[in-house]
Amino acid sequence: MKLPLREQIYAAFFAIIIAGLSQLTIPLGLIPLTGQTFAVGLAVTFLGMRTGTMSILIYLLLGLIGLPVFAGGASGIGVLFGPTGGYLIGFIFNGLLTGKLLEIGRAGYVRGMLANIAGALATLFFGTLWLKWSTAMSWTAAINGGFVLFLLPDVIKAIAAAYLGIFLRKRLQR
């Protein structure tokens, strides 16, 4: 995926925002509640599918090469194979789905909120599947601990990301 220099700079800038908001964590057992999902939604809503997803990929690459950008300052490939790895991979699908839904028609606030909620659900889906597989939890425990527990906070973060992303995009286009 080749991006113009301006879009590469935006993608790098939002990768830093995602990394920064990843450090806002509330421990809830194996999976913490973080600002990552808000930042991912904001990046894609503001930048669009292509550049927003590139910012997510840059963020993941920074963490994989050892920079402490994942939740709680974690890094490395071990995090990807740990209980939270599915959520990290889910961010890519979140970006693609949210961005694609925003590209269909005019991206107003309601469409933005619905697209971000769908993206957040994609993150939770992949995260829950990986949680079940990587920890050998029962399906009930994985769904309750990896999906249901985060559903309301992620919907709230998705709505906030959509609102802020569209608001900023409208203001900065003038």
Side-chain angles (χ1 to χ4, degrees), residues 59-95:
Y59 163 71
L60 294 174
L61 182 63
L62 292 173
L64 290 176
I65 64 171
L67 295 176
V69 296
F70 296 146
S75 66
I77 198 155
V79 176
L80 192 61
F81 290 105
T84 61
Y87 297 96
L88 295 172
I89 296 301
F91 291 155
I92 299 167
F93 293 97
N94 181 336

Side-chain angles (χ1 to χ4, degrees), residues 38-119:
F38 169 77
V40 165
L42 179 63
V44 175
T45 303
F46 184 74
L47 299 173
M49 182 179 73
R50 195 169 86 157
T51 309
T53 303
M54 184 58 71
S55 71
I56 296 165
L57 292 170
I58 292 168
Y59 163 71
L60 294 174
L61 182 63
L62 292 173
L64 290 176
I65 64 171
L67 295 176
V69 296
F70 296 146
S75 66
I77 198 155
V79 176
L80 192 61
F81 290 105
T84 61
Y87 297 96
L88 295 172
I89 296 301
F91 291 155
I92 299 167
F93 293 97
N94 181 336
L96 293 171
L97 179 60
T98 301
K100 192 57 150 172
L101 292 173
L102 286 170
E103 286 178 357
I104 301 170
R106 190 172 156 249
Y109 289 108
V110 173
R111 180 182 298 278
M113 290 176 194
L114 293 174
N116 271 275
I117 290 169

